[in-house]
Amino acid sequence: MTDYQIRYGAEVAEALRAGRPVVACESTIVSHGLPRPDNLRVAREIERAVRDNGAVPATIGMVAGELVVGLDDAQLTRLASADGVAKLSVRDLAVAAATGVDGATTVAATSAVAAAAGIRVFATGGLGGVHREAAQTFDESADLTTLSRTPIAVVCAGVKSILDVGATLERLETLGVAVVGYRSRRFPGFFITDGGFDLDWSVESPEQAAAVLAARAAQAVQPGALIVANPLPPQEQLDPELHDRTLTDGLARLAADGITGKAVTPFLLAHFHAATEGASLAVNVRIILRNAALAARIAVAAATTATGSGR
């Protein structure tokens, strides 16, 4: 009988046994989020950012049906270079394993697998959320419901501004997912520093974020994720006027071409890349590297807190 259990990279397995800080990283940015050959270079830079800030990176993905926590460089290269790599959400994991495919894990799948592996912190770029016109299409990312039941801290730059940001925050509130800004009481808009909505809470340091995780574990009341929304510094964001102009034009083209469903996000991101002459891609890379660094510092603080409390 085939063994479908999760396999761990050697470094990650040792770090988890020793209680060292580990940060989960997704693989969809490698296979679907960035163009070749930038995708492999950036994937390695993400792992380097985690290491440089004191933690062990655990990039999660599927290779020939085997779900791996802590891809090695050869496996990372395979997912970055191969055609036909499947995009895997939580619902797809078992089917993909049984059919022996190569797959890249989304935010939802990476969060769920990381939490099952005992990893407490996950770094990503931006979350999925509620799509515009969702009242008619019911188009909402599985990220939201997965995070409502997955005990992990997710460091992100909010949700992509092509989504309905306000509705996404409302859904997160309904689902009981805690959202804190990192040194900000405003929710970031991915490409832009300010997504236009206030937050009730903020944390000022990795240690304070780790304290939230410790309090949640001690209380054993909240089952879901902690979202740490990490805005880009204003000088590093996409020019807001360019952003708004590009978004308006992209939405108009979307409607004119009748594009709906899963095709919406890749269409709009490709439009941003073309219309901004690559500036949005450069911002995307800055986002994920900054989030990886912050996630590592939170993981280090969380590990130190756990050691100090005797756990």
Side-chain angles (χ1 to χ4, degrees), residues 47-73:
E47 293 198 342
R48 189 178 308 119
V50 172
R51 293 185 194 283
D52 287 349
N53 286 275
V56 173
T59 303
I60 295 172
M62 182 172 287
V63 178
E66 187 171 55
L67 190 55
V68 181
V69 176
L71 296 167
D72 63 27
D73 195 68

PDB file of all heavy atoms in Angstrom, residues 47-73:
ATOM      1  N   GLU A  47      13.867  31.891   1.110  1.00  0.00           N
ATOM      2  CA  GLU A  47      14.461  30.990   2.103  1.00  0.00           C
ATOM      3  C   GLU A  47      15.666  31.643   2.775  1.00  0.00           C
ATOM      4  O   GLU A  47      15.871  31.495   3.986  1.00  0.00           O
ATOM      5  CB  GLU A  47      14.844  29.670   1.444  1.00  0.00           C
ATOM      6  CG  GLU A  47      13.635  28.854   0.977  1.00  0.00           C
ATOM      7  CD  GLU A  47      13.950  27.401   0.737  1.00  0.00           C
ATOM      8  OE1 GLU A  47      15.144  27.065   0.586  1.00  0.00           O
ATOM      9  OE2 GLU A  47      13.002  26.583   0.712  1.00  0.00           O
ATOM     10  N   ARG A  48      16.457  32.384   1.998  1.00  0.00           N
ATOM     11  CA  ARG A  48      17.624  33.063   2.567  1.00  0.00           C
ATOM     12  C   ARG A  48      17.192  34.128   3.577  1.00  0.00           C
ATOM     13  O   ARG A  48      17.814  34.290   4.635  1.00  0.00           O
ATOM     14  CB  ARG A  48      18.459  33.696   1.457  1.00  0.00           C
ATOM     15  CG  ARG A  48      19.814  34.236   1.947  1.00  0.00           C
ATOM     16  CD  ARG A  48      20.626  34.802   0.800  1.00  0.00           C
ATOM     17  NE  ARG A  48      20.732  33.848  -0.302  1.00  0.00           N
ATOM     18  CZ  ARG A  48      20.279  34.067  -1.530  1.00  0.00           C
ATOM     19  NH1 ARG A  48      19.713  35.209  -1.847  1.00  0.00           N
ATOM     20  NH2 ARG A  48      20.423  33.150  -2.461  1.00  0.00           N
ATOM     21  N   ALA A  49      16.107  34.851   3.275  1.00  0.00           N
ATOM     22  CA  ALA A  49      15.609  35.877   4.200  1.00  0.00           C
ATOM     23  C   ALA A  49      15.183  35.255   5.523  1.00  0.00           C
ATOM     24  O   ALA A  49      15.407  35.833   6.595  1.00  0.00           O
ATOM     25  CB  ALA A  49      14.448  36.641   3.563  1.00  0.00           C
ATOM     26  N   VAL A  50      14.564  34.080   5.453  1.00  0.00           N
ATOM     27  CA  VAL A  50      14.184  33.381   6.685  1.00  0.00           C
ATOM     28  C   VAL A  50      15.426  32.996   7.483  1.00  0.00           C
ATOM     29  O   VAL A  50      15.507  33.228   8.697  1.00  0.00           O
ATOM     30  CB  VAL A  50      13.324  32.144   6.352  1.00  0.00           C
ATOM     31  CG1 VAL A  50      13.092  31.301   7.606  1.00  0.00           C
ATOM     32  CG2 VAL A  50      11.986  32.550   5.738  1.00  0.00           C
ATOM     33  N   ARG A  51      16.410  32.429   6.803  1.00  0.00           N
ATOM     34  CA  ARG A  51      17.638  32.012   7.484  1.00  0.00           C
ATOM     35  C   ARG A  51      18.384  33.203   8.091  1.00  0.00           C
ATOM     36  O   ARG A  51      18.884  33.135   9.219  1.00  0.00           O
ATOM     37  CB  ARG A  51      18.565  31.295   6.502  1.00  0.00           C
ATOM     38  CG  ARG A  51      18.058  29.971   5.994  1.00  0.00           C
ATOM     39  CD  ARG A  51      19.106  29.286   5.116  1.00  0.00           C
ATOM     40  NE  ARG A  51      18.530  28.192   4.367  1.00  0.00           N
ATOM     41  CZ  ARG A  51      18.244  26.998   4.876  1.00  0.00           C
ATOM     42  NH1 ARG A  51      18.506  26.773   6.159  1.00  0.00           N
ATOM     43  NH2 ARG A  51      17.716  26.050   4.137  1.00  0.00           N
ATOM     44  N   ASP A  52      18.456  34.296   7.329  1.00  0.00           N
ATOM     45  CA  ASP A  52      19.193  35.474   7.789  1.00  0.00           C
ATOM     46  C   ASP A  52      18.585  36.073   9.050  1.00  0.00           C
ATOM     47  O   ASP A  52      19.250  36.832   9.768  1.00  0.00           O
ATOM     48  CB  ASP A  52      19.233  36.536   6.693  1.00  0.00           C
ATOM     49  CG  ASP A  52      20.164  36.171   5.547  1.00  0.00           C
ATOM     50  OD1 ASP A  52      20.936  35.208   5.686  1.00  0.00           O
ATOM     51  OD2 ASP A  52      20.095  36.838   4.488  1.00  0.00           O
ATOM     52  N   ASN A  53      17.315  35.736   9.313  1.00  0.00           N
ATOM     53  CA  ASN A  53      16.640  36.265  10.492  1.00  0.00           C
ATOM     54  C   ASN A  53      16.422  35.198  11.568  1.00  0.00           C
ATOM     55  O   ASN A  53      15.589  35.375  12.448  1.00  0.00           O
ATOM     56  CB  ASN A  53      15.331  36.927  10.089  1.00  0.00           C
ATOM     57  CG  ASN A  53      15.553  38.260   9.403  1.00  0.00           C
ATOM     58  OD1 ASN A  53      15.691  39.291  10.066  1.00  0.00           O
ATOM     59  ND2 ASN A  53      15.615  38.247   8.076  1.00  0.00           N
ATOM     60  N   GLY A  54      17.178  34.110  11.455  1.00  0.00           N
ATOM     61  CA  GLY A  54      17.282  33.182  12.578  1.00  0.00           C
ATOM     62  C   GLY A  54      16.394  31.957  12.569  1.00  0.00           C
ATOM     63  O   GLY A  54      16.390  31.191  13.545  1.00  0.00           O
ATOM     64  N   ALA A  55      15.643  31.732  11.490  1.00  0.00           N
ATOM     65  CA  ALA A  55      14.734  30.588  11.464  1.00  0.00           C
ATOM     66  C   ALA A  55      15.070  29.649  10.308  1.00  0.00           C
ATOM     67  O   ALA A  55      15.874  29.973   9.430  1.00  0.00           O
ATOM     68  CB  ALA A  55      13.283  31.057  11.358  1.00  0.00           C
ATOM     69  N   VAL A  56      14.437  28.491  10.299  1.00  0.00           N
ATOM     70  CA  VAL A  56      14.612  27.488   9.248  1.00  0.00           C
ATOM     71  C   VAL A  56      13.436  27.581   8.281  1.00  0.00           C
ATOM     72  O   VAL A  56      12.284  27.505   8.718  1.00  0.00           O
ATOM     73  CB  VAL A  56      14.700  26.073   9.849  1.00  0.00           C
ATOM     74  CG1 VAL A  56      14.705  25.003   8.749  1.00  0.00           C
ATOM     75  CG2 VAL A  56      15.931  25.950  10.728  1.00  0.00           C
ATOM     76  N   PRO A  57      13.679  27.749   6.984  1.00  0.00           N
ATOM     77  CA  PRO A  57      12.569  27.798   6.029  1.00  0.00           C
ATOM     78  C   PRO A  57      12.039  26.404   5.727  1.00  0.00           C
ATOM     79  O   PRO A  57      12.807  25.449   5.597  1.00  0.00           O
ATOM     80  CB  PRO A  57      13.206  28.421   4.786  1.00  0.00           C
ATOM     81  CG  PRO A  57      14.644  28.020   4.857  1.00  0.00           C
ATOM     82  CD  PRO A  57      14.983  27.965   6.337  1.00  0.00           C
ATOM     83  N   ALA A  58      10.712  26.300   5.614  1.00  0.00           N
ATOM     84  CA  ALA A  58      10.071  25.035   5.245  1.00  0.00           C
ATOM     85  C   ALA A  58       9.118  25.325   4.090  1.00  0.00           C
ATOM     86  O   ALA A  58       7.931  25.604   4.297  1.00  0.00           O
ATOM     87  CB  ALA A  58       9.318  24.440   6.429  1.00  0.00           C
ATOM     88  N   THR A  59       9.657  25.306   2.870  1.00  0.00           N
ATOM     89  CA  THR A  59       8.803  25.495   1.706  1.00  0.00           C
ATOM     90  C   THR A  59       8.038  24.198   1.470  1.00  0.00           C
ATOM     91  O   THR A  59       8.614  23.112   1.463  1.00  0.00           O
ATOM     92  CB  THR A  59       9.629  25.862   0.464  1.00  0.00           C
ATOM     93  OG1 THR A  59      10.393  27.039   0.760  1.00  0.00           O
ATOM     94  CG2 THR A  59       8.728  26.140  -0.720  1.00  0.00           C
ATOM     95  N   ILE A  60       6.725  24.324   1.288  1.00  0.00           N
ATOM     96  CA  ILE A  60       5.835  23.167   1.222  1.00  0.00           C
ATOM     97  C   ILE A  60       5.340  22.978  -0.212  1.00  0.00           C
ATOM     98  O   ILE A  60       4.974  23.942  -0.887  1.00  0.00           O
ATOM     99  CB  ILE A  60       4.659  23.346   2.197  1.00  0.00           C
ATOM    100  CG1 ILE A  60       5.191  23.362   3.641  1.00  0.00           C
ATOM    101  CG2 ILE A  60       3.598  22.267   2.014  1.00  0.00           C
ATOM    102  CD1 ILE A  60       4.160  23.714   4.691  1.00  0.00           C
ATOM    103  N   GLY A  61       5.344  21.749  -0.670  1.00  0.00           N
ATOM    104  CA  GLY A  61       4.859  21.451  -2.006  1.00  0.00           C
ATOM    105  C   GLY A  61       4.711  19.952  -2.184  1.00  0.00           C
ATOM    106  O   GLY A  61       4.992  19.164  -1.265  1.00  0.00           O
ATOM    107  N   MET A  62       4.273  19.552  -3.371  1.00  0.00           N
ATOM    108  CA  MET A  62       4.074  18.130  -3.669  1.00  0.00           C
ATOM    109  C   MET A  62       4.940  17.741  -4.857  1.00  0.00           C
ATOM    110  O   MET A  62       4.922  18.416  -5.890  1.00  0.00           O
ATOM    111  CB  MET A  62       2.608  17.847  -3.965  1.00  0.00           C
ATOM    112  CG  MET A  62       2.309  16.379  -4.243  1.00  0.00           C
ATOM    113  SD  MET A  62       0.538  16.028  -4.353  1.00  0.00           S
ATOM    114  CE  MET A  62       0.049  16.161  -2.619  1.00  0.00           C
ATOM    115  N   VAL A  63       5.675  16.658  -4.708  1.00  0.00           N
ATOM    116  CA  VAL A  63       6.545  16.140  -5.763  1.00  0.00           C
ATOM    117  C   VAL A  63       6.159  14.692  -6.036  1.00  0.00           C
ATOM    118  O   VAL A  63       6.263  13.836  -5.147  1.00  0.00           O
ATOM    119  CB  VAL A  63       8.029  16.229  -5.362  1.00  0.00           C
ATOM    120  CG1 VAL A  63       8.917  15.646  -6.455  1.00  0.00           C
ATOM    121  CG2 VAL A  63       8.424  17.679  -5.078  1.00  0.00           C
ATOM    122  N   ALA A  64       5.659  14.451  -7.240  1.00  0.00           N
ATOM    123  CA  ALA A  64       5.230  13.102  -7.653  1.00  0.00           C
ATOM    124  C   ALA A  64       4.283  12.477  -6.630  1.00  0.00           C
ATOM    125  O   ALA A  64       4.402  11.296  -6.283  1.00  0.00           O
ATOM    126  CB  ALA A  64       6.449  12.209  -7.886  1.00  0.00           C
ATOM    127  N   GLY A  65       3.344  13.279  -6.155  1.00  0.00           N
ATOM    128  CA  GLY A  65       2.343  12.794  -5.217  1.00  0.00           C
ATOM    129  C   GLY A  65       2.766  12.785  -3.768  1.00  0.00           C
ATOM    130  O   GLY A  65       1.955  12.470  -2.886  1.00  0.00           O
ATOM    131  N   GLU A  66       4.002  13.134  -3.488  1.00  0.00           N
ATOM    132  CA  GLU A  66       4.501  13.136  -2.108  1.00  0.00           C
ATOM    133  C   GLU A  66       4.468  14.550  -1.553  1.00  0.00           C
ATOM    134  O   GLU A  66       5.101  15.456  -2.101  1.00  0.00           O
ATOM    135  CB  GLU A  66       5.922  12.581  -2.061  1.00  0.00           C
ATOM    136  CG  GLU A  66       6.443  12.393  -0.649  1.00  0.00           C
ATOM    137  CD  GLU A  66       7.770  11.650  -0.626  1.00  0.00           C
ATOM    138  OE1 GLU A  66       8.709  12.103  -1.310  1.00  0.00           O
ATOM    139  OE2 GLU A  66       7.861  10.627   0.073  1.00  0.00           O
ATOM    140  N   LEU A  67       3.718  14.746  -0.487  1.00  0.00           N
ATOM    141  CA  LEU A  67       3.607  16.056   0.154  1.00  0.00           C
ATOM    142  C   LEU A  67       4.822  16.273   1.038  1.00  0.00           C
ATOM    143  O   LEU A  67       5.085  15.481   1.952  1.00  0.00           O
ATOM    144  CB  LEU A  67       2.320  16.112   0.987  1.00  0.00           C
ATOM    145  CG  LEU A  67       1.878  17.457   1.547  1.00  0.00           C
ATOM    146  CD1 LEU A  67       1.736  18.506   0.447  1.00  0.00           C
ATOM    147  CD2 LEU A  67       0.555  17.300   2.291  1.00  0.00           C
ATOM    148  N   VAL A  68       5.575  17.336   0.748  1.00  0.00           N
ATOM    149  CA  VAL A  68       6.861  17.555   1.401  1.00  0.00           C
ATOM    150  C   VAL A  68       6.848  18.871   2.184  1.00  0.00           C
ATOM    151  O   VAL A  68       6.477  19.917   1.648  1.00  0.00           O
ATOM    152  CB  VAL A  68       8.009  17.594   0.370  1.00  0.00           C
ATOM    153  CG1 VAL A  68       9.356  17.802   1.071  1.00  0.00           C
ATOM    154  CG2 VAL A  68       8.029  16.323  -0.471  1.00  0.00           C
ATOM    155  N   VAL A  69       7.252  18.819   3.426  1.00  0.00           N
ATOM    156  CA  VAL A  69       7.440  20.003   4.262  1.00  0.00           C
ATOM    157  C   VAL A  69       8.947  20.240   4.353  1.00  0.00           C
ATOM    158  O   VAL A  69       9.659  19.542   5.077  1.00  0.00           O
ATOM    159  CB  VAL A  69       6.836  19.808   5.662  1.00  0.00           C
ATOM    160  CG1 VAL A  69       7.129  21.025   6.543  1.00  0.00           C
ATOM    161  CG2 VAL A  69       5.339  19.586   5.571  1.00  0.00           C
ATOM    162  N   GLY A  70       9.423  21.194   3.573  1.00  0.00           N
ATOM    163  CA  GLY A  70      10.849  21.458   3.517  1.00  0.00           C
ATOM    164  C   GLY A  70      11.452  20.922   2.233  1.00  0.00           C
ATOM    165  O   GLY A  70      12.301  20.025   2.252  1.00  0.00           O
ATOM    166  N   LEU A  71      11.003  21.472   1.098  1.00  0.00           N
ATOM    167  CA  LEU A  71      11.545  21.059  -0.200  1.00  0.00           C
ATOM    168  C   LEU A  71      13.040  21.321  -0.261  1.00  0.00           C
ATOM    169  O   LEU A  71      13.507  22.368   0.203  1.00  0.00           O
ATOM    170  CB  LEU A  71      10.852  21.836  -1.318  1.00  0.00           C
ATOM    171  CG  LEU A  71       9.341  21.615  -1.510  1.00  0.00           C
ATOM    172  CD1 LEU A  71       8.780  22.697  -2.422  1.00  0.00           C
ATOM    173  CD2 LEU A  71       9.061  20.229  -2.076  1.00  0.00           C
ATOM    174  N   ASP A  72      13.804  20.382  -0.834  1.00  0.00           N
ATOM    175  CA  ASP A  72      15.218  20.666  -1.057  1.00  0.00           C
ATOM    176  C   ASP A  72      15.378  21.443  -2.362  1.00  0.00           C
ATOM    177  O   ASP A  72      14.391  21.692  -3.072  1.00  0.00           O
ATOM    178  CB  ASP A  72      16.053  19.389  -1.033  1.00  0.00           C
ATOM    179  CG  ASP A  72      15.705  18.397  -2.144  1.00  0.00           C
ATOM    180  OD1 ASP A  72      15.219  18.822  -3.217  1.00  0.00           O
ATOM    181  OD2 ASP A  72      15.922  17.185  -1.951  1.00  0.00           O
ATOM    182  N   ASP A  73      16.589  21.840  -2.693  1.00  0.00           N
ATOM    183  CA  ASP A  73      16.770  22.722  -3.843  1.00  0.00           C
ATOM    184  C   ASP A  73      16.400  22.035  -5.152  1.00  0.00           C
ATOM    185  O   ASP A  73      15.857  22.676  -6.059  1.00  0.00           O
ATOM    186  CB  ASP A  73      18.211  23.238  -3.905  1.00  0.00           C
ATOM    187  CG  ASP A  73      18.354  24.429  -4.841  1.00  0.00           C
ATOM    188  OD1 ASP A  73      17.806  25.502  -4.518  1.00  0.00           O
ATOM    189  OD2 ASP A  73      18.981  24.274  -5.908  1.00  0.00           O
TER     190      ASP A  73
END
